[in-house]
Amino acid sequence: VVAVVGAGVAGCAAARALQDAGHSVVAFDKGRGPGGRLSSRKDGPFDYGAPSFTVSDWRFARLARSLWYEKLLAEWKPKRHGELGGSAPPAQILAVPRMSALVDRLLRDVDVRFGVRVDALVREGGRWRLYDEAHVSLGVFDAVVVACPAPQAAALVDPTHFALAARLREVAMDGCVVVRARFSEPLDLSVDDGLISVGPLARFVREASKPERPPSECWTLYGSAAHAARTEDGSLDEQSEVLVDAFFTATGAKRVALQSSEVHRWRYARAQRPLGEPCAFVAESLLAVCGDWCLGDSVEAAYLSGCAAAAVLHASTPEKPPLPRVGPQLPLL
């Protein structure tokens, strides 16, 4: 039995690949649902992680093609403009009707337990026992995949794997503040997606420009890494006003009333310098650590890292379950 800690893209990819290869999998996540970099809220909906992603690696392309045929993915063609937009990637893909639909699909039929924060990993007789915040046992497992930001992963593995924890602590990560701003009337703005190089705002996205999103004057504003560092200990209530002001200043759009706003802080949004390996692995204790920070800061990087963790665990299992004859992840194992 394999425990997967974290139900972001990397954790979901690892859980899917391991279950498809015949392992029993139990996934844990502290949130109310899966997502990580693809987190969404159903009201709206509000994609407060990655607004879209690109595909370049054949392994991720294989998954994307499959989900495209299931009508879970669509291409987003936002209007971008000059300095505000920069150069557009070849194709921007997103999940429909919200970004978290991708991880929902990966977790289909997986035993996943939400609202559970794994607080400790303890070795007992060659196996792993997991504990929650109240030090209540979550069960005993043969192997563990830790799929969370590097600083959090380091804290979990530190008691039994000091050297691995030291490596993970070398991965510095930037934060990000995200605001969903709903305006009382349409903005006189002809672009849907823009990148900003100065000030507290890094990017803005018109949510209604995405496929299968409801019509609304709702914009997602992503703060810069420098802004997140400056306001790390500050109140989230102030962030809406700061980023909305920066949005109007950067775009030159006529100011209209803010009807409502919602703020989310990512303490660990992206790696300043990735680990440089698909995943970290301790073979003698069957412990794998993965995340987008291993290879970069993209959805694709997270997926490939999770699959890599599943592959090394499967290859190191003393008595491997027989591989099924079909399954979307088999070439990765």
Side-chain angles (χ1 to χ4, degrees):
V1 182
V2 182
V4 176
V5 182
V9 178
C12 292
R16 177 79 272 147
L18 287 166
Q19 182 150 309
D20 283 351
H23 297 268
S24 296
V25 177
V26 181
F28 300 93
D29 194 274
K30 63 184 179 182
R32 291 177 293 179
R37 186 167 288 276
L38 296 185
S39 292
S40 304
R41 290 178 185 153
K42 295 181 180 181
D43 57 320
F46 173 27
D47 298 326
Y48 56 96
S52 62
F53 57 86
T54 58
V55 179
S56 58
D57 188 280
W58 70 268
R59 293 163 293 182
F60 189 49
R62 190 167 184 267
L63 172 75
R65 187 178 302 112
S66 174
L67 298 184
W68 185 278
Y69 290 142
E70 293 184 32
K71 300 187 184 303
L72 286 176
L73 298 184
E75 184 176 0
W76 178 40
K77 298 179 180 179
K79 297 176 183 177
R80 313 184 96 212
H81 174 68
E83 294 181 359
L84 292 177
S87 57
Q92 296 193 66
I93 309 299
L94 45 73
V96 294
R98 55 187 177 274
M99 291 296 277
S100 59
L102 190 156
V103 284
D104 286 338
R105 176 62 181 86
L106 289 175
L107 285 178
R108 184 178 297 175
D109 302 325
V110 174
D111 181 359
V112 55
R113 302 170 191 183
F114 296 112
V116 178
R117 184 189 295 270
V118 177
D119 193 57
L121 310 176
V122 178
R123 290 291 282 171
E124 291 184 358
R127 303 182 75 197
W128 288 101
R129 183 179 293 276
L130 275 59
Y131 290 92
D132 66 9
E133 292 177 289
H135 205 66
V136 174
S137 174
L138 299 171
V140 178
F141 303 88
D142 301 296
V144 176
V145 176
V146 177
C148 55
Q152 295 174 337
L156 272 179
V157 306
D158 198 6
T160 54
H161 293 84
F162 178 78
L164 173 58
R167 285 184 59 209
L168 300 181
R169 288 196 173 95
E170 294 178 358
V171 181
M173 301 193 71
D174 291 327
C176 180
V177 176
V178 184
V179 173
R180 176 175 66 169
R182 187 187 300 273
F183 297 103
S184 58
E185 56 185 280
L187 303 186
D188 58 343
L189 194 58
S190 61
V191 294
D192 303 316
D193 180 21
L195 305 177
I196 310 297
S197 58
V198 295
L201 182 66
R203 185 174 186 177
F204 61 83
V205 171
R206 187 198 303 264
E207 288 299 317
S209 69
K210 296 179 179 180
E212 298 189 32
R213 268 56 171 185
S216 67
E217 200 57 35
C218 201
W219 295 75
T220 302
L221 313 178
Y222 297 84
S224 67
H227 174 70
R230 287 194 304 269
T231 62
E232 184 174 4
D233 298 323
S235 169
L236 283 180
D237 295 337
E238 303 171 358
Q239 302 310 307
S240 177
E241 182 178 351
V242 170
L243 291 183
V244 168
D245 284 346
F247 170 62
F248 282 116
T249 300
T251 61
K254 179 183 176 182
R255 291 179 180 261
V256 301
L258 181 65
Q259 187 176 47
S260 64
S261 66
E262 192 172 355
V263 188
H264 182 85
R265 183 193 299 278
W266 293 102
R267 191 168 296 279
Y268 306 112
R270 57 181 60 87
Q272 296 176 9
R273 184 178 61 186
L275 184 68
E277 302 173 28
C279 66
F281 182 55
V282 183
E284 59 268 23
S285 56
L286 295 180
L287 171 68
V289 183
C290 60
D292 58 350
W293 49 268
C294 288
L295 295 170
D297 63 359
S298 65
V299 173
E300 182 173 82
Y303 177 78
L304 295 178
S305 180
C307 289
V312 294
L313 270 183
H314 180 74
S316 301
T317 303
E319 296 182 3
K320 301 182 182 68
L323 289 175
R325 298 182 65 181
V326 296
Q329 312 304 326
L330 290 186
L332 303 174
L333 299 178

